[in-house]
Amino acid sequence: MIDSPDEAARDIPLTVLSAALHRRDPDAGAILQALASALKGLTAHDENTASIFIELTEQGLGKTPAADLWRQIMAADLSFFQSETAQSLRAEGRAGALLLLLDRRGVEVSEEERARIAGCGDMGVLDVWLTRAITASTAAEVFEPEES
């Protein structure tokens, strides 16, 4: 079990394996935290390799609580991750924030509108929609095209 950031940084592939092998262990979170720290350091030098380890970790965790924890760790600081999974998680998080904002403001959102928001992977579009949602009185106002 590799749960030290320094040890994880010395052997990232072994730490990925450790995370997969101990995915059901109560202390899996310590491994994942150490791995995230090591990957953050690796990303500064070799983003492509870091992305591969990120994907391998996600696959190795399967559908366990550790996989959910891994996503939470990544969502907490994704600025250094550029992988497809990380980008997708960013978009999912932004879409979730948009839906939460609309809900808390009492703005009704149809299933079609909810699906449109949840299915959007463009961070720029989601940012525009999120900004509009701050003052929108209907979900339709969130989607209105820009005025020229």
Side-chain angles (χ1 to χ4, degrees):
M1 180 180 278
I2 298 174
D3 57 6
S4 154
D6 290 337
E7 190 178 355
R10 282 192 298 274
D11 197 340
I12 292 174
L14 186 59
T15 307
V16 171
L17 179 61
S18 178
L21 291 174
H22 296 283
R23 66 183 179 250
R24 297 190 192 285
D25 191 287
D27 295 325
I31 299 169
L32 298 176
Q33 291 286 358
L35 179 57
S37 176
L39 289 172
K40 189 172 187 175
L42 176 61
T43 302
H45 306 291
D46 188 352
E47 189 173 308
N48 291 332
T49 302
S51 293
I52 291 168
F53 288 132
I54 293 163
E55 300 298 331
L56 288 173
T57 301
E58 185 169 331
Q59 290 173 12
L61 296 174
K63 295 186 184 292
T64 62
D68 294 332
L69 180 58
W70 180 243
R71 286 185 201 89
Q72 290 172 6
I73 291 169
M74 289 179 56
D77 185 6
L78 288 176
S79 60
F80 62 94
F81 290 121
Q82 297 300 319
S83 72
E84 190 174 315
T85 298
Q87 291 172 9
S88 174
L89 287 171
R90 278 191 210 102
E92 285 177 26
R94 192 70 44 90
L98 173 55
L99 290 168
L100 180 63
L101 175 62
L102 291 169
D103 178 64
R104 292 293 197 268
R105 294 194 60 246
V107 176
E108 282 193 44
V109 180
S110 71
E111 286 305 313
E112 182 180 306
E113 292 163 332
R114 186 174 300 282
R116 182 175 179 188
I117 291 168
C120 182
D122 185 322
M123 291 294 289
V125 170
L126 287 167
D127 284 341
V128 168
W129 290 351
L130 189 58
T131 301
R132 290 179 185 165
I134 294 169
T135 58
S137 56
T138 67
E141 290 177 24
V142 172
F143 303 116
E144 288 178 354
E146 297 279 333
E147 294 183 13
S148 301

